[in-house]
Amino acid sequence: MQKLIKKSVQTLTPYQSARKIGGNGTIWLNANECPLSPNELLNHLNLDNLNRYPEPQPQSVITAYANYAKVNANQILITRGGDEGIELIIRAFCENDECVLYCPPTYGMYKVSSDTLNINTKTVPLTAEFQLNLAEIEKNLDKFKVIFVCSPNNPTGNLLNKDDIIQLLDMTKNKAVVVVDEAYIDFCVDNSIVDELNHFDNLIIIRTLSKAFALASIRCGFILANEWIIQSLQKIIAPYPIPTPCALIAESALSDTGIQAMQDKVTITLDNKTWLENELSNLEIVQNIYPSVANFILVEFKDGQAVFDTLWEQGIIARNQHTALNLANCIRISIGTDKENLALINALKKF
Ligand SMILES: *Cc1c(COP(=O)(O)O)cnc(C)c1O
């Protein structure tokens, strides 16, 4: 019977999400979440229509996000997290031998979603500075239809050069769409590529409420793109993707006070990151701290596996990057609360 499952699924290596990896944690620094829940958003939820199907694309959320991102309402699609956005784009653009191209080390879902849909992938690794290798991408222009780039990049934490992304948009015009994954852009919002939506109709941007907005559990993301792309994606998204409670929480998070609260948390997170970087730089076991503009840092240790295991045993769960391209001995650490960061440093000092 198991043979009935299609080949691409039988052989699939699924995404190892932070939750699936498990661990007996008291301190969770492995999924780049905000360490505190925005419970204040739950105060005024009016949940008296749960018997009705939700609005397919809740207008109030669209309007609020359009305001926040400074785009038009017809340039937005709400998705179940950024991850659904990734899959929808591949489903809408690729078939048979039309490849997805991505640039490792980067986010794992570009490959997993492609594999799931039986779409071939091609990789052009980032340069030693974790930037796009445009010359190598250009050599492969005929081979792909969708290219995923991630800025700020996960797991390295750096921004891609904006000029490079613009060059990429130029060289792929009429040939491929460029998907810029901006899951972490709220930590450095001036660096968004969003203004280019009006210059390039092959640009697609992925956003999420899971990181800076501290709402990973409500599964709310956004695709920003030109109207013709949004309309095409609307044809293939599930009929009622956004549950009403999630839409209400999202709307509240995107109100003026919600955005202010998010920005306050971003400031605290970035301060805590600076503190953590300083402390780490004093440790003998640390080889290199990669500069990050996001809410996590990539750290190279002298013996990454040993450090990871020791933290794990103490209930401090980080993200091992040892299998990622060129990231031997590297661990990605999400910025936690003051207390969590201190516990992490104390554990590393004892190592
Ligand atoms: C977290 C993340 C996402 C999407 O997360 P969702 O929770 O599905 O919104 C997308 N891209 C990157 C690079 C991420 O780190």
Side-chain angles (χ1 to χ4, degrees):
M1 280 302 281
Q2 290 175 15
K3 286 191 197 127
L4 293 179
I5 304 281
K6 66 180 180 177
K7 270 253 163 54
S8 58
V9 177
Q10 287 183 40
T11 56
L12 182 75
T13 310
Y15 183 67
Q16 282 292 354
S17 68
R19 283 297 170 281
K20 273 196 203 153
I21 289 168
N24 221 338
T26 48
I27 297 183
W28 294 97
L29 305 177
N30 68 342
N32 296 346
E33 298 143 327
C34 176
L36 298 170
S37 176
N39 291 329
E40 67 279 4
L41 298 180
L42 304 176
N43 289 345
H44 307 291
L45 289 194
N46 176 11
L47 287 174
D48 55 7
N49 266 326
L50 294 181
N51 56 319
R52 301 294 175 193
Y53 280 107
E55 267 185 276
Q57 287 287 301
Q59 260 321 307
S60 55
V61 178
I62 294 264
T63 308
Y65 203 79
N67 251 327
Y68 172 68
K70 302 193 179 69
V71 298
N72 296 327
N74 62 15
Q75 293 174 308
I76 300 185
L77 183 74
I78 313 173
T79 57
R80 286 167 291 198
D83 285 343
E84 184 183 39
I86 293 167
E87 187 184 298
L88 282 175
I89 293 162
I90 301 170
R91 278 173 56 205
F93 284 92
C94 300
E95 57 190 343
N96 304 326
D97 289 334
E98 297 165 344
C99 264
V100 164
L101 190 143
Y102 63 96
C103 306
T106 191
Y107 188 48
M109 283 304 291
Y110 315 137
K111 173 169 169 55
V112 173
S113 279
S114 304
D115 288 352
T116 312
L117 296 166
N118 219 357
I119 297 299
N120 291 331
T121 53
K122 173 141 194 64
T123 58
V124 173
L126 295 173
T127 64
E129 292 75 39
F130 298 141
Q131 293 296 329
L132 297 174
N133 186 338
L134 288 175
E136 202 54 41
I137 293 171
E138 191 158 31
K139 279 188 208 154
N140 287 284
L141 270 190
D142 303 336
K143 302 197 185 117
F144 64 91
K145 215 156 168 208
V146 174
I147 174 167
F148 285 97
V149 302
C150 189
S151 182
N153 188 38
N154 177 3
T156 56
N158 64 297
L159 285 161
L160 301 179
N161 298 327
K162 203 183 233 179
D163 289 348
D164 287 353
I165 299 178
I166 289 172
Q167 261 195 61
L168 180 64
L169 284 161
D170 241 333
M171 79 167 71
T172 53
K173 236 178 201 173
N174 300 319
K175 295 194 176 108
V177 287
V178 176
V179 184
V180 183
D181 186 339
E182 292 192 337
Y184 299 95
I185 201 68
D186 313 290
F187 294 98
C188 52
V189 76
D190 294 341
N191 295 288
S192 174
I193 196 81
V194 69
D195 290 344
E196 300 303 324
L197 278 179
N198 296 324
H199 305 136
F200 293 99
D201 77 343
N202 59 332
L203 170 61
I204 304 180
I205 299 170
I206 288 180
R207 296 282 191 91
T208 180
L209 298 186
S210 294
K211 307 289 162 53
F213 281 92
L215 287 172
S217 80
I218 73 166
R219 314 303 306 127
C220 185
F222 302 90
I223 290 176
L224 312 181
N226 285 286
E227 198 178 354
W228 66 270
I229 293 180
I230 297 299
Q231 282 174 359
S232 303
L233 296 173
Q234 253 159 7
K235 292 186 190 170
I236 61 169
I237 196 170
Y240 304 105
I242 313 299
T244 300
C246 298
L248 291 170
I249 294 169
E251 183 186 345
S252 174
L254 293 165
S255 68
D256 289 345
T257 49
I259 287 172
Q260 186 59 52
M262 178 276 287
Q263 287 165 343
D264 292 346
K265 282 196 206 97
V266 164
T267 306
I268 294 170
T269 302
L270 296 179
D271 285 350
N272 285 346
K273 184 180 64 178
T274 306
W275 180 86
L276 202 56
E277 284 166 343
N278 273 329
E279 293 290 320
L280 286 166
S281 65
N282 294 327
L283 298 179
E284 193 62 16
I285 55 171
V286 170
Q287 188 78 25
N288 188 16
I289 304 165
Y290 290 96
S292 164
V293 295
N295 65 333
F296 59 87
I297 35 181
L298 184 69
V299 185
E300 184 189 343
F301 291 90
K302 287 179 179 151
D303 185 347
Q305 187 66 48
V307 170
F308 179 82
D309 292 342
T310 306
L311 292 175
W312 176 280
E313 282 154 19
Q314 297 176 51
I316 302 176
I317 313 298
R319 193 82 145 124
N320 203 341
Q321 295 294 331
H322 63 309
T323 58
L325 184 69
N326 299 330
L327 298 186
N329 288 314
C330 289
I331 299 177
R332 192 194 70 193
I333 302 171
S334 310
I335 309 302
T337 61
D338 301 4
K339 251 172 119 176
E340 291 170 335
N341 299 334
L342 185 61
L344 170 75
I345 292 297
N346 285 337
L348 291 174
K349 275 181 180 160
K350 274 191 250 147
F351 184 80

